[in-house]
Amino acid sequence: MLRYILARIAMMVPTLFVISVLVFTIIQLPPGDYFESYVQELQMLGEPADLQEIALLKEHYHFDDPMPLQYLHWVTGMVHGDFGYSFEYRMPVSEVVGDRLWLTIMVSTVTIVFTWLLAFPIGVYSATHQYSWGDYGLTLLGLIGLAIPNFMLAIILMYFANVWFGLSIGHLMDIEYLNQPMSWDKLHSILAHLWIPVVIIGTAGTAGMARRLRANLLDELGKQYVTTARAKGLSPGRVVAKYPLRLALNFFVADIGSVLPQIISGAEITAIILSLETTGPMLIRALQCQDMYLAGSFLMFLAFLTVIGVLVSDIALSLIDPRVRLQGRRG
């Protein structure tokens, strides 16, 4: 087991290295850089640009160096905890992200818990009550959840909240707490607003996960060993929980590696519509204006989450399914 874990950890370093090269290359593909776009924007507005300051910044951040050297400076800085400088916000990336990163993690974590707590009983019920009215009803709700994009659901909820109750459901906190340091009152305000984006973002994930759990559990329930267990007189609950449910949970655990970055990256348009103080709108703005250090750091953060999630899912799978450990030992 220890050798299996160490092998998975050893694979993380080259994986992150390859991802960092791809991220840096993709960010550098558009013609020009942030400073050229910035000067053109000022010229369109008829305002003067401080060319001397721009030249100093380009020299300090090695914009005139060849791409391999630029990549080396960028990745070396990240290893030492320096994520670069955001030219759009005129401050270090770590300060720009600030509370937005923790709010993003909070929203994503609660959304994952909400998704699992809802999807698990729905999937089990639908599989054990196949073709019942409850199964049909939950299937219909699941298909609706899959069909409606998150951003459209956000628009619908904002409209009805305003028309029916005269409320604005934007932001993750009350307006007076924006840009204020964390306090108990601010935390209470965040928790009061948190359920809205969690329900909106988690709807599609809940529907998809419940459908996959239903399909996997139905596949296991149709196998011969389940028929044998029923013939021996085991109770229906024990028949389901003993082996079929454990085997159907494999994909549930395997999804850990992808569900968190998917929720964070997939909620960006929803975050813009709801005016959420998360990192999604910031990433889109950074990509639009070619703020390379801010965009690159965020994309590497998503890659790191994916790699860590895959490691956690591999370890969890090896604990609940001995076949994974045996295959890893033979490899």
Side-chain angles (χ1 to χ4, degrees):
M1 182 65 181
L2 180 60
R3 188 175 68 176
Y4 177 79
I5 295 175
L6 292 176
R8 289 297 182 271
I9 294 176
M11 292 175 58
M12 291 171 57
V13 177
T15 302
L16 288 174
F17 168 73
V18 173
I19 292 174
S20 67
V21 173
L22 292 175
V23 167
F24 185 82
T25 303
I26 292 172
I27 291 176
Q28 294 286 356
L29 282 179
D33 52 37
Y34 169 80
F35 298 109
E36 294 182 10
S37 301
Y38 178 65
V39 170
Q40 291 176 1
E41 184 178 345
L42 289 179
Q43 290 175 348
M44 291 176 61
L45 296 174
E47 298 180 6
D50 191 344
L51 299 180
Q52 185 176 1
E53 179 189 5
I54 292 174
L56 290 173
L57 285 172
K58 292 182 71 171
E59 181 181 359
H60 184 268
Y61 289 100
H62 311 282
F63 271 65
D64 294 327
D65 291 346
M67 279 188 60
L69 286 178
Q70 290 187 45
Y71 168 77
L72 184 62
H73 288 296
W74 176 61
V75 76
T76 304
M78 283 198 301
V79 171
H80 292 89
D82 180 12
F83 296 97
Y85 188 83
S86 172
F87 306 108
E88 175 74 10
Y89 294 91
R90 302 295 181 92
M91 61 178 65
V93 170
S94 57
E95 295 182 15
V96 174
V97 175
D99 290 340
R100 285 178 176 262
L101 179 60
W102 299 111
L103 290 173
T104 302
I105 294 175
M106 179 187 294
V107 172
S108 303
T109 303
V110 177
T111 302
I112 291 173
V113 174
F114 169 82
T115 300
W116 285 349
L117 289 179
L118 226 61
F120 185 80
I122 291 174
V124 173
Y125 178 86
S126 294
T128 54
H129 297 76
Q130 188 181 18
Y131 303 136
S132 65
W133 285 108
D135 181 27
Y136 285 132
L138 292 173
T139 299
L140 177 61
L141 289 176
L143 293 176
I144 293 174
L146 289 172
I148 301 178
N150 291 338
F151 68 88
M152 184 178 295
L153 182 60
I155 295 173
I156 294 171
L157 287 182
M158 289 179 68
Y159 173 78
F160 284 110
N162 188 25
V163 172
W164 289 352
F165 305 105
L167 298 176
S168 174
I169 59 174
H171 297 288
L172 266 177
M173 64 196 76
D174 294 323
I175 302 299
E176 60 265 25
Y177 297 114
L178 294 177
N179 301 320
Q180 295 297 319
M182 185 59 70
S183 62
W184 286 111
D185 291 336
K186 182 176 180 178
L187 179 61
H188 183 269
S189 178
I190 292 173
L191 294 177
H193 288 74
L194 188 62
W195 68 271
I196 299 170
V198 165
V199 171
I200 293 173
I201 298 170
T203 301
T206 301
M209 191 166 288
R211 298 298 299 165
R212 292 197 300 274
L213 178 58
R214 177 185 183 275
N216 280 269
L217 188 53
L218 281 174
D219 183 58
E220 293 297 326
L221 290 175
K223 292 184 177 178
Q224 186 63 44
Y225 72 90
V226 176
T227 304
T228 304
R230 286 171 176 162
K232 289 183 176 181
L234 292 180
S235 63
R238 192 174 179 186
V239 169
V240 173
K242 185 64 176 177
Y243 291 111
L245 186 57
R246 287 180 58 189
L247 294 175
L249 284 178
N250 280 7
F251 91 94
F252 228 70
V253 177
D255 269 358
I256 295 175
S258 59
V259 67
L260 183 56
Q262 281 179 358
I263 287 176
I264 293 178
S265 59
E268 291 160 1
I269 299 178
T270 305
I272 293 175
I273 292 174
L274 292 175
S275 301
L276 302 182
E277 290 75 25
T278 57
T279 52
M282 185 180 295
L283 171 62
I284 292 179
R285 176 59 185 166
L287 292 172
Q288 287 175 338
C289 66
Q290 293 181 270
D291 196 351
M292 57 168 289
Y293 288 112
L294 181 57
S297 298
F298 187 82
L299 292 174
M300 285 304 300
F301 170 67
L302 290 179
F304 180 74
L305 286 179
T306 304
V307 171
I308 293 297
V310 170
L311 175 64
V312 172
S313 66
D314 285 345
I315 294 174
L317 277 174
S318 66
L319 292 175
I320 67 174
D321 192 342
R323 295 173 299 179
V324 177
R325 290 199 301 272
L326 293 175
Q327 290 174 358
R329 203 171 294 164
R330 286 196 296 268

